[in-house]
Amino acid sequence: MTIMKYSELHTPLRTIMTPGPVEVDPRVLRAMSTPILGQFDPAFTHIMNEVMEMLRQLFQTNNRWAFPVDGTSRSGNEAVLCSIIEPGDCVLVPIFGRFGHLFVEICERYGADVHTMECSWGEVFEPEEVIAEIKKVSPKIVALVHGETSTGCMQPLKEIGQACRELDVLLVVDAVASIGGTDIKVDEWCIDAIIGGTQKCLSVPSGMAPITYNDRIEKILSERKKVERGIATAEDLRQVRKGIPIKSNYFDLSMLQDYWGPRRLNHHTEATSMLYALREGLRLVLEEGLEERFERHVFHEAALVAGLEAMGLTLFGNRKHKLTCVTCIEIPSGIDGESVRSMLLNQFGIEIASSFGPLQGKIWRIGTMGYSCRKENVLFVLGALEAVLLRHGFEVKRGEALQAALDVYMAEVKEPVKEE
Ligand SMILES: *Cc1c(COP(=O)(O)O)cnc(C)c1O
């Protein structure tokens, strides 16, 4: 008999205030332990249909197609791009942080002729700048990030979307960090395809990428469809010669939609427990209400920002285009940012994030996303950060942070007292 070498899984209790993965609502964790169903069991396909319906509400769209791609958020970016990019297609990628570079990387791998434009990190593009570039390079696709987690900035999309529609250009948006945390009107803003994330403002574990796309995208898919022997319809055969088949099997949206749609053609095995999790996460969002949820994110952001500034810290990035769910802070000179982060983790069990590329070692990022975006977390991170900064010799304005945050919380409008 060998003695069990590994103990039962036990994770330390954490307060996660990063831009993802964030804390998951206990209701979602419970849903994940629901028994498995077969992928073609009517009870399960019913759940698939419900998730599609709820995703349409989340994305504020009437699109026929709205479903999760199984894989982390970037699998959604890759599925959309590999399904619409044919070698040599021109794609314009305006870059204002790390995730613009991810778009470039994916587009290049699928043979696109990629044009980029860049602005400094901490800023976003004026819509006119992007529109002028679209007119100059005439791309087939514009791939744009909405909420840039690496810089805490949010790109306005409405004018760019309308211009793309007028110029017959496809607009693909990475809203991984912002979906469920701030208003995104997919149809009204003329977004052709959009990718959301689960582990950020939806507060579902990482492992799925909810997407939606319209008939402009679907048209390309049907032209590129790989016709399988025996199941091709006359219509499939007519269309098959028009486009180059999609290079990926796993990410071929035409195959994914045949699995999610009424044909239920076998592709992958849907990630059962993750779908349960996403369903419960979406139920929580719709139960709270989209508007109410967006307002909650604004409210806690206000308390956090008030506290940080009262402490004597400086925020990073253009405030006019700040992403509500990510707050970037300049690391004060002479302070070791990584040492502060590890003391927060080791002494308080709180996780905050650093950043990437040009911002590495220059800023901290605090996320207020989904289930992590709540009063006790904001107050806890402010109190802990003050204590840790004092230990690091930074001249904090003692006691001010929590008072400023409390001012925001206690100014909360009270429900009118019910008259008997
Ligand atoms: C987190 C994030 C991603 C990548 O998500 P993964 O789940 O790690 O694949 C992509 N884009 C943005 C804007 C993000 O914030």
Side-chain angles (χ1 to χ4, degrees), residues 72-74 77 99 102 145 147-149 174 176-177 199-200 206:
T72 70
S73 314
R74 70 190 58 209
N77 293 17
F99 290 105
L102 175 62
V145 174
E148 200 20 286
T149 352
D174 173 344
V176 170
Q199 77 270 32
K200 308 203 177 174
S206 166

Side-chain angles (χ1 to χ4, degrees), residues 83-99:
S83 296
I84 61 175
I85 292 172
E86 290 171 86
D89 279 348
C90 176
V91 182
L92 174 65
V93 185
I95 301 169
F96 60 105
R98 180 196 186 200
F99 290 105

Side-chain angles (χ1 to χ4, degrees), residues 257-364:
Q257 74 185 30
D258 278 343
Y259 176 49
W260 280 88
R263 297 175 77 192
R264 299 276 176 218
L265 295 184
N266 194 13
H267 179 247
H268 62 290
T269 308
E270 187 47 25
T272 325
S273 307
M274 271 305 294
L275 193 71
Y276 296 161
L278 179 59
R279 182 182 181 279
E280 191 60 18
L282 291 169
R283 225 161 67 87
L284 279 158
V285 171
L286 299 177
E287 203 173 278
E288 181 173 8
L290 288 179
E291 277 312 313
E292 288 76 7
R293 193 175 178 92
F294 305 151
E295 276 164 25
R296 170 163 63 84
H297 281 82
V298 170
F299 181 54
H300 293 291
E301 176 204 30
L304 176 68
V305 167
L308 292 169
E309 291 188 323
M311 201 186 301
L313 292 168
T314 307
L315 297 200
F316 167 84
N318 186 340
R319 287 288 275 281
K320 192 168 157 238
H321 299 291
K322 186 183 174 302
L323 184 56
T324 43
C325 57
V326 183
T327 298
C328 297
I329 307 149
E330 290 179 10
I331 298 173
S333 66
I335 300 292
D336 178 348
E338 285 310 290
S339 166
V340 167
R341 284 196 333 115
S342 58
M343 192 169 168
L344 279 171
L345 190 70
N346 296 332
Q347 301 301 324
F348 294 88
I350 296 176
E351 189 185 3
I352 67 168
S354 53
S355 194
F356 311 97
L359 296 178
Q360 174 107 53
K362 299 222 166 70
I363 64 168
W364 293 303

Side-chain angles (χ1 to χ4, degrees), residues 31 61 63 82 88 108 143 164 209 213 219 240 252 314 325 333 347:
T61 181
N63 286 344
C82 84
E108 282 179 344
C164 283
Y213 53 88
K219 183 165 172 286
V240 72
D252 181 336
T314 307
C325 57
S333 66
Q347 301 301 324

Side-chain angles (χ1 to χ4, degrees), residues 25-127:
D25 191 295
R27 266 175 54 183
V28 173
L29 294 176
R30 279 203 298 278
M32 293 185 83
S33 57
T34 306
I36 299 301
L37 289 169
Q39 60 171 335
F40 297 113
D41 185 324
F44 188 70
T45 54
H46 176 70
I47 293 170
M48 290 171 76
N49 291 344
E50 283 181 333
V51 168
M52 289 180 76
E53 238 172 72
M54 290 195 273
L55 283 177
R56 285 186 202 102
Q57 295 179 57
L58 173 72
F59 283 120
Q60 306 186 54
T61 181
N62 292 315
N63 286 344
R64 174 164 181 218
W65 298 112
F67 54 81
V69 175
D70 292 350
T72 70
S73 314
R74 70 190 58 209
S75 73
N77 293 17
E78 185 150 348
V80 167
L81 290 169
C82 84
S83 296
I84 61 175
I85 292 172
E86 290 171 86
D89 279 348
C90 176
V91 182
L92 174 65
V93 185
I95 301 169
F96 60 105
R98 180 196 186 200
F99 290 105
H101 289 286
L102 175 62
F103 265 150
V104 172
E105 148 91 20
I106 296 171
C107 291
E108 282 179 344
R109 282 177 185 251
Y110 288 97
D113 171 18
V114 182
H115 287 251
T116 60
M117 54 193 291
E118 288 192 53
C119 67
S120 56
W121 290 31
E123 294 292 332
V124 298
F125 295 94
E126 287 300 328

